Amino acid sequence: MQAPVDHATRLSRRIADHAARISVIGQGYVGLPVAVEFAKVGFPVAGLDTDPDRVAALASGRSHVPDVRSDDLQALLRAGRYQATTGPAILAESDVVLICVPTPLRKSKDPDITYVIAAAKEAAAHFRPGQLIILESTTYPGTTEELLLPLFQASGASIGEDLFLAFSPERIDPGNPTFKVKDIPKIVGGVTPTCRRLAAALYREIVPRVHEVSTPKVAELAKLYENVFRNVNIALANEFSIMCRYLGVDSREVIDAAATKPFGFMPFYPGPGIGGHCIPVDPLYLSWKVRLNGYEARFISLADEINRAMPAHVLGLVTEALNEASRALNGARILVLGVAYKRGIGDTRESPAHEIVGALRRKGAQVSYADPHVPTFHVDGTELKAVEPTEEDLRAADCVLILADHPEFDYGAIARHSALIVDTRHSVPGIKGRRGRLVRL
Ligand SMILES: NC(=O)c1ccc[n+]([C@@H]2O[C@H](COP(=O)([O-])OP(=O)(O)OC[C@H]3O[C@@H](n4cnc5c(N)ncnc54)[C@H](O)[C@@H]3O)[C@@H](O)[C@H]2O)c1
């Protein structure tokens, strides 16, 4: 008599054949691109989301993220390889479940893990022996084994035998034209070696390189370390730009000069403050967990302090520059260019523009904004509508404040027509043809 095929062997064959049914919980900036990559190579993929509007848009072939083209989505829908749904019943039919839900902070700046718990509980409620569950959301070290594993084991499943669980952080940079899901190596840490092997085999179908690590905790920490590294270096660049101001030197010129060193230096640039769902948030997941273990992460809190002070610094630059032109902030017309947290995308989560525009308005400035990616912007309960920055708008403004250096802006025209520019991104070209004063961060 032939021995029955074990769950791991069966799943590994289904992965190799691209027959494994994959569900991706959360169809946002992370979940949608990864779902589409698996569907593109032939896996049957379901994108599960609790937001009915988002699901309806996806089901009709409309993508809301810059990394997924609507026509690609439509082709996958037509081929029957991708479906979007709000129905969790799909989880019971899946061989693989990826969890890509938000991991924000509470008001107290502690991790808010409620979305991960809700998604994992849903997956555990529909668990079927033989499933591979992978958490991709950025989270504190220990989440996979301390939080997820017991939820699935409660159904009587046996880890490494009929339950496979791993952590694999998503590392995309939405809107980055060079590095997309398929270009970025995947880090994989499984609860057992079989869990790791299966998760690694799955990702090898869509990315050229998978880096396997010994535990989920190592994978969780690797993602946090990457973002702490970025946060700390941005803070250093921000503080360096303030130091250079005291010395009357352009910080960008110094950083660009230092960056000519071909080793041992990586340039980071100052900005009006950090934003988005990752850099301001993820480091605090690590410091929270480490604090519970009796250690205070000093670099993280100092970087956070410096970065969070940048909006007030920018406000000071605007006030000072207006003052030098004998203008008060109260009543000044300020045209803000770019309210997204960074160049080329429409994501305003945690954008420093919220704090800066809010403070300018509270101080009596008349603020308008232009952002080709953000048609409406909510500040202190008021909805602002984006304007097209015409020559008249630029000329009429007492100050043009550049917060996000979108490629769509005409920086030559901005330089030619504006009386005063406060440029937090070093995006306006040099002196030639400039009408007024230029203040750089
Ligand atoms: N955005 C990035 O640049 C980026 C990069 C790498 C990693 N990450 C991490 O990936 C995770 C997801 O981030 P994102 O930017 O994709 O978030 P997002 O807000 O764009 O998308 C999350 C989606 O999950 C859905 N959702 C929430 N709870 C759900 C549930 N219980 N069931 C089904 N759907 C649910 C939401 O409706 C939303 O559509 C976070 O942990 C984030 O830190 C984000």
Side-chain angles (χ1 to χ4, degrees):
M1 208 177 73
Q2 251 188 346
V5 175
D6 65 79
H7 287 291
T9 309
R10 184 176 165 279
L11 182 55
S12 123
R13 281 185 195 154
R14 288 180 69 75
I15 290 171
D17 294 345
H18 292 193
R21 286 157 304 181
I22 301 175
S23 286
V24 183
I25 307 183
Q27 289 294 276
Y29 285 95
V30 163
L32 181 59
V34 79
V36 163
E37 276 321 307
F38 278 116
K40 274 187 180 168
V41 298
F43 287 95
V45 180
L48 181 64
D49 205 289
T50 42
D51 179 344
D53 293 339
R54 183 156 283 183
V55 167
L58 293 172
S60 65
R62 268 179 294 126
S63 166
H64 60 94
V65 303
D67 301 328
V68 172
R69 288 162 35 143
S70 290
D71 43 2
D72 284 346
L73 191 64
Q74 286 153 20
L76 294 169
L77 285 162
R78 276 196 302 275
R81 291 216 297 274
Y82 174 80
Q83 58 165 306
T85 178
T86 53
I90 192 86
L91 295 169
E93 297 164 24
S94 310
D95 299 295
V96 177
V97 176
L98 305 184
I99 300 176
C100 307
V101 295
T103 44
L105 291 175
R106 296 182 188 286
K107 280 211 170 79
S108 59
K109 289 193 176 183
D110 287 349
D112 176 0
I113 208 77
T114 49
Y115 297 94
V116 170
I117 293 176
K121 278 190 173 163
E122 200 69 85
H126 293 87
F127 177 74
R128 183 174 57 70
Q131 282 184 332
L132 167 64
I133 315 290
I134 306 176
L135 178 61
E136 287 211 2
S137 299
T138 310
T139 185
Y140 62 79
T143 307
T144 309
E145 284 169 294
E146 293 164 14
L147 214 75
L148 265 60
L149 183 57
L151 286 177
F152 287 92
Q153 281 176 323
S155 65
S158 178
I159 188 72
E161 287 176 20
D162 61 0
L163 159 67
F164 308 104
L165 178 62
F167 182 79
S168 180
E170 184 47 69
R171 307 157 91 191
I172 54 160
D173 173 22
N176 186 321
T178 315
F179 298 106
K180 300 196 177 291
V181 172
K182 63 179 173 36
D183 309 302
I184 307 168
K186 267 299 220 175
I187 299 171
V188 172
V191 176
T192 69
T194 308
C195 301
R196 182 183 74 215
R197 187 171 52 74
L198 286 169
L202 179 78
Y203 286 118
R204 280 200 185 93
E205 301 299 328
I206 58 163
V207 298
R209 200 175 144 218
V210 175
H211 183 82
E212 298 181 34
V213 295
S214 58
T215 62
K217 201 180 262 183
V218 172
E220 289 159 344
L221 275 166
K223 169 71 190 184
L224 293 176
Y225 188 52
E226 285 169 18
N227 284 357
V228 168
F229 174 84
R230 208 168 154 69
N231 190 327
V232 166
N233 278 286
I234 291 170
L236 179 61
N238 280 335
E239 192 176 48
F240 186 67
S241 83
I242 293 170
M243 293 188 236
C244 284
R245 250 196 119 60
Y246 276 90
L247 300 172
V249 174
D250 179 344
S251 65
R252 177 65 71 117
E253 195 180 353
V254 181
I255 295 168
D256 286 344
T260 59
K261 186 175 179 180
F263 55 91
F265 184 83
M266 184 187 282
F268 285 81
Y269 296 101
I274 42 170
H277 190 24
C278 297
I279 304 301
V281 173
D282 301 348
L284 302 181
Y285 268 66
L286 177 56
S287 53
W288 173 82
K289 183 69 178 184
V290 173
R291 189 175 305 122
L292 291 184
N293 286 261
Y295 184 79
E296 202 57 46
R298 289 164 294 166
F299 259 120
I300 293 177
S301 60
L302 180 60
D304 190 53
E305 192 184 308
I306 291 171
N307 289 334
R308 285 183 203 273
M310 290 311 285
H313 177 62
V314 170
L315 199 67
L317 291 181
V318 172
T319 312
E320 196 183 303
L322 282 169
N323 188 49
E324 279 173 26
S326 306
R327 288 286 286 145
L329 194 51
N330 195 344
R333 282 158 304 189
I334 312 238
L335 174 60
V336 172
L337 300 184
V339 292
Y341 82 88
K342 68 171 182 180
R343 173 188 170 86
I345 62 162
D347 193 348
T348 58
R349 290 177 298 179
E350 309 269 333
S351 172
H354 286 288
E355 193 174 334
I356 296 169
V357 172
L360 289 169
R361 282 164 54 89
R362 282 192 297 279
K363 290 193 179 296
Q366 297 170 35
V367 185
S368 57
Y369 86 94
D371 192 315
H373 302 274
V374 185
T376 57
F377 186 58
H378 293 263
V379 186
D380 298 337
T382 307
E383 183 181 275
L384 306 180
K385 284 193 170 38
V387 299
E388 281 284 329
T390 61
E391 181 181 332
E392 289 72 47
D393 291 324
L394 294 168
R395 285 188 174 276
D398 295 303
C399 175
V400 172
L401 170 60
I402 301 172
L403 296 182
D405 52 342
H406 291 309
E408 292 86 351
F409 291 137
D410 179 348
Y411 294 101
I414 293 165
R416 279 194 304 282
H417 306 308
S418 312
L420 167 64
I421 305 168
V422 175
D423 183 3
T424 66
R425 301 288 185 177
H426 217 281
S427 47
V428 173
I431 314 278
K432 214 167 146 232
R434 215 173 53 224
R435 176 180 163 221
R437 194 161 165 243
L438 174 62
V439 175
R440 283 167 167 161
L441 195 62

